């Protein structure tokens, strides 16, 4: 199946032809049903506006046949000969179709670059297709990515912020002259389309004393005045109002001048020398040229405004290029997701199968341990999940990197793990890719080398690619005295507290360097901050007596609150950037704490250039941060080029890391509340599952 789109627009076809192939809103549902009835069409969406008629589909079969099928549909449905349609018809496929839709939704393909109405029209087309069941998995994802792209382009560039219509330009000219409009008396002559736009934009930029002059005080002028809390005036009162006004914007459809020089000259004495600014946006002109020759009267016509429009259009084109760079990144992300879509059922099914086997083994092992404590049960569960992850890592990595061979690899995995033997109601369909929101994402893992493996493994299980870019490094240089202090305290301590896998690893290095083993711990009781640390202890043949919940120091402190620690000697080996909170809490409960530093945490500056290259070449979708020191190293690595993170999701573990990142001016898009690798991956999955579903400006 492939994404295929055809259509005509204001560039390719005259308005007469666009009118003939436009889909009336009242018949759009019927047209969608006719489109979906075509044998090759699996998903479909019709976008029909005054400037374009485009059909987006997911189709089976050859590309030429697919485009021909859609040509025939347009021709037959609207009774327009194909020979008349074909010279003006455009077609897009695959990535080009996605790019075109993203540019359309962002206003970059509009006649007026950056105009906002098109996004609402795309959303309406999506809502109609969704209501008719025409939007399936691929178009659903495509439209959500289009909305996300439009949001970024509109919020992160100035493509829609400068006037490119005459009424907008008139208001911008007035603002350039006056700055604030809050205390200015404004007169708008005419309440047609141009007059309404001018009045609304004057109001939006602070004008509150607005008079609207029209032939009648009812009808359109009255409704506009009600919306803007303005005064409605007839032409009989025009010159009395001119005597008091600061600004006049005239935009009637009159065939002759409505403001003459001799009439303005009569009211000048009443103005007491105050300047009067008149902006004439009408064609033919509303204001005689002689008005601009009067003292203290400044007249601007449509030719003056065209300079502003041209200047702003040039600025918009420059901003549009920035927008297209953003869209290129979004298209690349969508194409990666699409390329991995066929692998999604295998990823989900294999994960289910392996986790089920490991869970079965865990239950059997737990059954053999009749007196297993709750902590031991949690350690068993953590170990079974770790085994499942290790089993999944290599086959899934091979599948993701298989390229054109992916279908063959997927078939081999199905056969090797008997994935096709599942009951019909348990089989995984491509639609279940929704359960793989990280599929194809490239995630930078900035943890130290010793810690990175578990997160890379977890990401791989979810179909993501973990890219190791360790921004911090751990070492024990110059800590020999601290190591001796730790060893000396072992034999006399009541408790040994370990708050990370790093602490376990460096403690064992210290023991081995002195030719010691687990017997050196004697009768010391062991406490681990969480299941991962407990599993690290178990790998050395030691069982934790206490295991904290939640993976943070707070959970361990609350656990010890149940015991009387008064007078207990607690050994707490740690890294140079941790200790304070836990030491203070334990000492507050009467414990005697010995807290030697076993390792340093330093920025891995040799990785900074590599990270910048990955970001500059748009090879990362996510950067993860697990500590404040990693955030500091990332900030240093950017070297002032904060724009390298544009379009990249920054995900952090815990409020402390988030606060550290924000204090450095780094963006934080995802904040995992659970201080574990699993918590971070779950938070990322929620982010990417929800992304693009909210309303955008």
């Amino acid at each position: 199946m492939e994404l295929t789109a055809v259509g005509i627009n204001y560039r390719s076809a005259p308005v007469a032809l666009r009118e003939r192939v436009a889909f009336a809103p009242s018949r759009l549902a019927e047209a969608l049903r006719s489109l979906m009835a075509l044998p090759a069409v699996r998903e479909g969406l019709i976008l029909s506006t005054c400037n374009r008629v485009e059909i987006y589909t997911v189709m089976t079969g050859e590309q030429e046949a697919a485009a021909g099928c859609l040509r025939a549909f347009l021709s037959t449905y609207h009774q327009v000969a194909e020979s008349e349609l074909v010279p003006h018809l455009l077609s897009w496929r695959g990535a080009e179709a996605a790019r075109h839709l993203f540019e359309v939704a962002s206003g970059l393909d509009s006649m007026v670059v950056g105009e906002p109405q098109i996004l609402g029209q795309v959303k309406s087309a999506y809502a109609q297709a969704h209501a008719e069941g025409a939007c399936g998995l691929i178009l659903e994802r495509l439209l959500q990515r289009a909305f996300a792209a439009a949001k970024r382009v509109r919020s992160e560039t100035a493509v829609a912020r400068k006037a490119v219509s005459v009424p907008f330009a008139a208001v911008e000219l007035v603002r350039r002259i006056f700055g604030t409009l809050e205390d200015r008396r404004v007169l708008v002559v005419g309440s047609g389309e141009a007059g309404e736009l001018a009045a609304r934009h004057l109001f939006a930029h602070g004008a509150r004393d607005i008079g609207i002059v029209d032939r009648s005080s009812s009808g359109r002028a009255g409704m506009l005045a009600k919306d803007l809390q303005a005064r409605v005036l007839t032409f009989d009162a025009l010159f009395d109002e001119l005597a008091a006004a600061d600004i006049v914007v005239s935009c009637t459809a009159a065939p002759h001048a409505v403001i003459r020089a001799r009439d303005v000259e009569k009211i000048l004495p009443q103005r007491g020398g105050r300047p009067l600014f008149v902006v004439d946006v009408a064609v033919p002109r509303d204001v005689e040229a002689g008005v601009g020759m009067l003292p203290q009267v400044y007249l601007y016509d449509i030719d003056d405004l065209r300079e502003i429009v041209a200047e702003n259009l040039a600025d918009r084109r420059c901003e549009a290029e920035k927008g297209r760079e953003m869209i290129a990144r979004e298209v690349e992300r969508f194409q990666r997701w699409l390329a991995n879509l066929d692998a999604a059922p295998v990823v989900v099914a294999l994960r289910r199968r392996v986790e089920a086997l490991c869970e079965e083994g865990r239950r059997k092992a737990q059954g053999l341990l009749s007196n297993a404590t709750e902590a031991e049960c949690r350690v068993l569960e953590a170990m079974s999940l770790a085994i499942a992850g290790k089993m999944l890592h290599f086959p899934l990595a091979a599948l993701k990197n298989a390229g054109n061979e992916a279908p063959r690899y997927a078939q081999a995995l199905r056969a090797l793990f008997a994935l096709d033997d599942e009951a019909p109601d348990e089989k995984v369909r491509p639609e279940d890719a929704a359960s793989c929101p990280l599929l194809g994402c490239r995630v930078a893992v900035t943890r130290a080398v010793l810690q990175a493996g578990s997160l890379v493994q977890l990401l791989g299980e979810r179909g993501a690619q973990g890219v190791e870019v360790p921004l911090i490094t751990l070492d024990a240089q110059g800590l020999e005295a601290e190591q001796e202090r730790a060893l000396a305290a072992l034999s006399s301590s009541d408790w040994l507290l370990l708050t990370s896998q790093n602490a376990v690893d460096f403690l064992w290095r210290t023991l081995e360097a002195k030719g010691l083993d687990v017997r050196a711990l004697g009768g010391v009781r062991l406490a681990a901050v969480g299941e991962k640390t407990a599993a690290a202890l178990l790998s050395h043949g030691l069982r934790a007596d206490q295991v904290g919940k939640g993976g943070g120091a707070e959970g361990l402190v609350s656990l010890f609150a149940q015991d009387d620690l008064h007078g207990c000697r607690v050994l707490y080996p740690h890294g140079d950037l941790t200790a304070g909170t836990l030491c203070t809490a334990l000492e507050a409960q009467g414990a005697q704490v010995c807290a030697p530093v076993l390792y340093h945490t330093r920025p891995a500056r040799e990785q900074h250039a590599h990270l910048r290259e990955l970001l500059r070449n748009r090879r990362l979708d996510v950067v993860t941060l697990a500590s404040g020191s990693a955030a500091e190293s990332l900030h240093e690595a950017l070297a002032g080029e904060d724009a390298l993170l544009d379009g990249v999701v920054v995900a952090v573990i815990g409020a402390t890391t988030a606060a550290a990142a924000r204090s450095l001016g780094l963006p934080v898009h995802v904040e995992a509340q659970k201080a574990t690798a699993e918590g971070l991956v779950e938070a990322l999955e929620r982010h990417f599952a929800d992304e693009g579903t909210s309303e955008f400006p």
Side-chain angles (χ1 to χ4, degrees):
M1 292 191 292
E2 187 167 29
L3 185 62
T4 304
V6 301
I8 61 173
N9 60 33
Y10 66 93
R11 291 194 188 93
S12 72
V15 67
L17 181 59
R18 298 204 305 272
E19 288 173 341
R20 291 171 64 193
V21 298
F23 292 87
S26 60
R27 297 189 61 193
L28 189 55
E30 171 201 310
L32 278 166
R33 288 193 289 271
S34 298
L35 175 66
M36 295 302 294
L38 299 176
V41 175
R42 293 293 176 269
E43 303 178 36
L45 176 139
I46 297 173
L47 175 64
S48 183
T49 74
C50 58
N51 282 328
R52 68 182 71 246
V53 176
E54 295 172 352
I55 300 175
Y56 296 85
T57 62
V58 176
M59 302 185 70
T60 57
E62 293 297 323
Q63 173 63 22
E64 275 305 313
C69 173
L70 296 180
R71 273 198 310 271
F73 169 75
L74 269 176
S75 172
T76 303
Y77 190 87
H78 293 291
Q79 298 184 344
V80 176
E82 279 198 50
S83 59
E84 189 177 356
L85 190 60
V86 167
H88 304 281
L89 200 64
L90 305 169
S91 64
W92 306 269
R93 59 177 292 189
E96 286 305 313
R99 179 176 292 104
H100 179 68
L101 178 60
F102 290 3
E103 290 187 357
V104 168
S106 303
L108 300 184
D109 194 63
S110 296
M111 184 181 293
V112 177
V113 175
E115 57 94 2
Q117 290 82 6
I118 187 63
L119 179 56
Q121 292 164 335
V122 174
K123 286 186 175 182
S124 294
Y126 163 66
Q128 186 75 64
H130 194 276
E132 292 298 322
C135 254
L137 177 67
I138 294 174
L139 282 188
E140 187 78 36
R141 179 78 171 198
L142 177 71
L143 267 296
Q144 299 304 339
R145 296 312 319 154
F147 298 153
K151 178 184 179 182
R152 285 202 61 211
V153 170
R154 296 188 65 78
S155 63
E156 297 179 30
T157 73
V159 73
R161 294 177 198 162
K162 294 204 172 183
V164 291
S165 73
V166 170
F168 289 9
V171 175
E172 186 164 316
L173 174 63
V174 169
R175 289 178 61 223
R176 287 184 183 183
I177 295 169
F178 287 94
T180 179
L181 303 180
E182 290 178 4
D183 56 350
R184 302 296 176 178
R185 194 176 179 96
V186 180
L187 200 61
V188 178
V189 184
S191 64
E193 183 177 348
E196 180 177 352
L197 280 172
R200 290 190 182 280
H201 283 280
L202 285 162
F203 183 82
H205 288 97
R208 291 297 178 265
D209 188 352
I210 301 174
I212 299 170
V213 180
D214 203 26
R215 289 187 300 272
S216 168
S217 60
S218 59
R220 184 168 184 162
M223 289 188 292
L224 178 61
K226 184 178 180 180
D227 285 350
L228 305 182
Q229 297 152 13
R231 294 169 289 119
V232 186
L233 310 161
T234 64
F235 276 93
D236 294 337
L238 173 59
F239 293 102
D240 290 337
E241 289 292 327
L242 281 174
D246 298 302
I247 301 159
V248 178
V249 179
S250 190
C251 38
T252 76
H256 53 74
V258 296
I259 300 177
R260 294 182 172 85
R262 65 174 181 269
D263 297 320
V264 176
E265 188 174 14
K266 290 176 184 176
I267 56 96
L268 289 182
Q270 301 173 48
R271 296 186 58 80
R274 287 186 303 110
L276 175 64
F277 290 84
V278 182
V279 184
D280 184 0
V281 301
V283 179
R285 287 178 289 181
D286 279 345
V287 184
E288 283 184 348
V291 170
M293 305 299 292
L294 297 172
Q296 293 299 302
V297 179
Y298 303 90
L299 174 63
Y300 302 87
D301 63 17
I302 199 164
D303 287 337
D304 299 311
L305 299 179
R306 282 195 179 114
E307 293 179 13
I308 295 175
V309 170
E311 176 187 321
N312 289 352
L313 272 174
D315 288 345
R316 279 199 176 194
R317 291 189 190 103
C318 180
E319 291 298 307
E321 287 308 308
K322 296 179 186 176
R324 289 189 177 93
E325 290 177 10
M326 295 176 183
I327 282 172
R329 181 188 286 267
E330 293 293 345
V331 170
E332 185 184 349
R333 284 181 61 184
F334 175 76
Q335 287 300 112
R336 273 204 322 277
W337 174 84
L338 196 59
N340 282 292
L341 188 59
D342 289 338
V346 175
V347 171
V348 176
L350 183 59
R351 189 168 57 193
R352 285 182 187 174
R353 175 57 56 90
V354 170
E355 286 177 354
L357 290 171
C358 289
E359 174 62 15
E360 182 182 350
R362 184 195 67 79
R363 286 199 305 268
K364 288 181 179 177
Q366 191 171 319
L368 295 173
L369 297 172
S370 56
N371 297 319
T373 65
E374 181 184 351
E376 289 170 340
C377 291
R378 289 203 303 269
V379 170
L380 277 175
E381 184 177 1
M383 287 191 69
S384 71
L385 290 173
I387 292 168
K390 290 181 185 298
M391 290 177 65
L392 286 166
H393 175 71
F394 293 106
L396 292 183
L399 180 61
K400 288 201 301 269
N401 297 322
N404 294 333
E405 293 292 303
R408 192 164 64 87
Y409 277 54
Q411 189 57 41
L413 286 171
R414 286 188 177 281
L416 289 169
F417 287 88
L419 301 182
D420 290 327
D421 293 345
E422 294 176 319
D425 60 343
E426 293 179 350
K427 284 188 180 296
V428 182
R429 302 161 300 163
E431 288 78 6
D432 290 315
S435 67
C436 291
L438 295 181
L439 193 67
C441 280
R442 297 163 302 181
V443 183
V445 178
T446 62
R447 284 177 151 184
V449 174
L450 290 173
Q451 299 171 309
S454 61
L455 182 52
V456 170
Q457 180 179 305
L458 284 168
L459 289 165
E461 292 168 25
R462 268 73 171 180
Q465 178 188 356
V467 181
E468 290 192 47
V469 192
L471 290 185
I472 56 174
T473 185
L474 308 176
D475 66 68
Q477 293 177 16
L479 294 175
E480 292 80 3
E482 290 289 284
Q483 293 169 355
E484 291 291 344
R485 188 158 74 98
L487 294 176
L490 262 179
S491 60
S492 60
S493 295
D494 301 302
W495 281 96
L496 170 61
L497 266 60
L498 295 161
T499 56
S500 69
Q501 296 173 67
N502 290 328
V504 175
D505 183 74
F506 276 96
L507 177 62
W508 250 256
R509 292 187 191 186
T510 302
L511 289 171
E512 289 172 349
K514 299 295 183 179
L516 302 173
D517 56 26
V518 295
R519 288 172 293 182
L521 273 63
V524 178
R525 300 179 72 190
L526 301 176
V529 73
E531 285 86 352
K532 291 287 186 182
T533 306
L537 279 170
L538 200 58
S539 69
H540 291 286
L542 292 169
R543 180 183 301 165
D545 298 284
Q546 294 278 24
V547 180
K549 296 180 180 179
E554 297 84 356
L556 197 56
V557 170
S558 64
L559 191 67
F560 273 101
Q562 301 169 21
D563 293 338
D564 181 11
L565 288 177
H566 186 74
C568 281
R569 291 160 299 185
V570 177
L571 175 60
Y572 170 32
H574 59 89
D576 57 346
L577 299 182
T578 59
T581 302
L582 190 53
C583 280
T584 303
L586 292 169
E587 287 171 350
Q589 295 181 41
Q592 300 173 24
V593 182
C594 175
V597 176
L598 291 192
Y599 59 94
H600 291 297
T601 304
R602 309 180 197 271
R605 293 187 174 89
E606 67 278 6
Q607 292 289 332
H608 289 179
H610 177 45
L611 177 64
R612 286 196 298 273
E613 181 185 4
L614 290 172
L615 290 169
R616 194 170 285 119
N617 293 328
R618 299 190 310 192
R619 291 167 59 191
L620 293 174
D621 303 301
V622 180
V623 172
T624 60
L625 299 172
S627 65
S629 51
E632 290 174 5
S633 188
L634 172 61
H635 181 257
E636 184 180 335
L638 293 173
E641 293 185 74
D642 294 350
L644 289 175
L645 287 178
D646 288 350
V648 176
V649 172
V650 178
V652 305
I653 291 181
T656 303
T657 306
R662 292 189 178 106
S663 72
L664 295 165
L666 298 172
V668 175
H669 305 99
V670 177
E671 182 180 330
Q673 299 304 314
K674 286 171 59 179
T676 61
E678 291 86 350
L680 183 61
V681 172
E682 289 167 7
L684 277 171
E685 286 184 313
R686 286 193 299 272
H687 173 81
F688 282 100
D690 296 340
E691 191 179 38
T693 58
S694 59
E695 288 297 309
F696 299 122

